[in-house]
Amino acid sequence: MIHVESLTRSYGSLKAVDDVSFLVQPGEIVGLLGHNGAGKTTIMKMMTGFLEPTSGSITIEHLQMVLDRRAIQARMGYLAENCPLYPDMTVVAYLAYLAALHGVAADRLGGLLRLALERTALVDKAEQQIGTLSRGYRQRVGVAQAILHQPRILILDEPTNGLDPAQIQHMRSLLRELARESTLIISTHILQEVEAVCDRVIIIQQGRKVIDTRLDALRAGKRLLVTIEDQDDPAAFLAGLQGVTMVERQGSAKGRLRLALSGTMAPEELAPMIATAVVKRGLRLYRLETETPSLEKIFREINTISGRDQ
């Protein structure tokens, strides 16, 4: 388990991270989502022991970062933003060097190297100098060094940075495979990455945590959208129907009113009941559809509230 409590990092008067707390359970894939400069990388640097927090605490598998930094780092694989590599080394030599730093035993080295190269699709590039690789392949080398020693915790800062669409698909598959063995924390500013890979999202805005939710819970919050003739106060009429618990006005135009309904049953079950009641009332029903809350909508609303134009 990872426990981040009241984490703060200041640079003079600037708070890059401001009182952030969260728990990560074993086996979760958690996405840290936010714009560039939101504080995601700073949080990851503190979680991996490469940056001291101004205040707050980090506990990982019952070890405290302030006291047990080396022991915690031994349990981790870390892909830093713009992962530093040695351009004059070959891919396999670089990975062997990193394995030695992690204390990998000689009798395990060959098998772990092969597995890391296969998982990151680097087998054909194993003897090539890192400096001659494209940006996408260098990013794969960074991921390979992070997973090489089979850590229980993986912290990956923008793992798909620089990858082409085909490489992104491969990376997503790899992350899901790794989640069977490890706990993953992934930083990104791309909504699709979180939706494609993660179980849970933590949204960071201007150094603060503003949202922490599981994606399955987010998707479960469906509503029924009803476009109806705007006569006889249809909102009040619908609110009085059995099974309807909330009615929200979303706008009106040309005699039509758009409403969002929540109820004690799923929107798909609520829809035929609403249609029947509207027809009996003698009102025109123009449209029925379900609305699933999206990460994009939530992210956009957060930006609007914070005054950031996106």
Side-chain angles (χ1 to χ4, degrees):
M1 184 181 72
I2 300 169
H3 186 191
V4 172
E5 180 69 28
S6 301
L7 201 62
T8 299
R9 174 69 192 194
S10 299
Y11 296 94
S13 60
L14 172 66
K15 281 190 175 180
V17 176
D18 187 3
D19 195 27
V20 170
S21 300
F22 57 85
L23 288 171
V24 180
Q25 298 296 342
E28 278 194 296
I29 311 177
V30 178
L32 284 182
L33 177 64
H35 292 291
N36 291 329
K40 308 183 303 297
T41 292
T42 303
I43 291 171
M44 288 188 153
K45 285 181 177 179
M46 289 189 283
M47 290 181 67
T48 51
F50 290 97
L51 185 66
E52 290 285 340
T54 302
S55 61
S57 64
I58 301 166
T59 304
I60 296 178
E61 294 187 348
H62 307 292
L63 299 174
Q64 298 180 40
M65 184 64 74
V66 69
L67 300 174
D68 309 297
R69 181 168 57 91
R70 294 286 180 159
I72 289 173
Q73 289 175 333
R75 290 164 163 76
M76 283 186 174
Y78 177 39
L79 173 67
E81 185 180 31
N82 301 318
C83 180
L85 303 169
Y86 294 105
D88 293 333
M89 297 182 75
T90 65
V91 171
V92 70
Y94 172 74
L95 293 178
Y97 170 63
L98 266 292
L101 294 181
H102 282 297
V104 173
D107 60 345
R108 298 182 62 222
L109 179 59
L112 290 179
L113 283 173
R114 280 192 299 274
L115 183 59
L117 290 168
E118 288 169 359
R119 281 180 155 179
T120 53
L122 284 169
V123 173
D124 293 340
K125 306 292 183 181
E127 298 297 339
Q128 192 167 328
Q129 282 189 322
I130 292 172
T132 66
L133 298 175
S134 68
R135 182 182 179 187
Y137 275 109
R138 291 198 300 272
Q139 185 74 352
R140 292 195 206 188
V141 175
V143 174
Q145 64 80 28
I147 69 175
L148 175 64
H149 56 299
Q150 297 184 321
R152 294 198 292 268
I153 299 166
L154 275 169
I155 297 183
L156 307 176
D157 198 350
E158 303 280 359
T160 60
N161 190 25
L163 302 185
D164 63 33
Q167 292 171 332
I168 288 172
Q169 290 300 321
H170 175 266
M171 185 60 66
R172 289 175 180 174
S173 298
L174 174 58
L175 294 176
R176 286 189 285 267
E177 178 186 335
L178 293 169
R180 299 173 193 157
E181 311 159 2
S182 307
T183 301
L184 271 66
I185 300 176
I186 302 167
S187 162
T188 184
H189 62 280
I190 302 172
L191 291 167
Q192 292 86 347
E193 291 303 307
V194 173
E195 292 178 320
V197 174
C198 299
D199 306 315
R200 176 175 153 211
V201 61
I202 298 172
I203 299 180
I204 305 296
Q205 184 77 9
Q206 297 176 356
R208 298 186 64 88
K209 183 183 78 172
V210 292
I211 292 287
D212 184 350
T213 184
R214 289 189 59 84
L215 293 183
D216 54 6
L218 178 65
R219 297 183 186 112
K222 290 182 178 180
R223 299 189 298 178
L224 180 67
L225 302 182
V226 181
T227 305
I228 191 173
E229 184 180 1
D230 193 3
Q231 290 186 21
D232 293 335
D233 195 4
F237 156 62
L238 292 175
L241 295 177
Q242 184 177 3
V244 177
T245 57
M246 184 177 296
V247 177
E248 176 187 317
R249 292 174 179 266
Q250 293 200 323
S252 61
K254 299 180 180 179
R256 300 181 183 187
L257 179 63
R258 181 181 168 93
L259 302 164
L261 277 61
S262 302
T264 56
M265 60 187 77
E268 295 84 356
E269 298 171 342
L270 193 62
M273 187 192 76
I274 295 297
T276 301
V278 168
V279 171
K280 285 184 177 179
R281 184 82 171 187
L283 297 173
R284 292 183 179 180
L285 178 63
Y286 295 101
R287 188 165 186 171
L288 280 174
E289 59 185 317
T290 58
E291 176 198 53
T292 301
S294 70
L295 200 53
E296 180 178 2
K297 181 180 178 182
I298 291 173
F299 201 45
R300 186 170 61 247
E301 288 173 351
I302 289 169
N303 293 330
T304 301
I305 292 169
S306 68
R308 181 164 187 158
D309 183 22
Q310 289 294 317

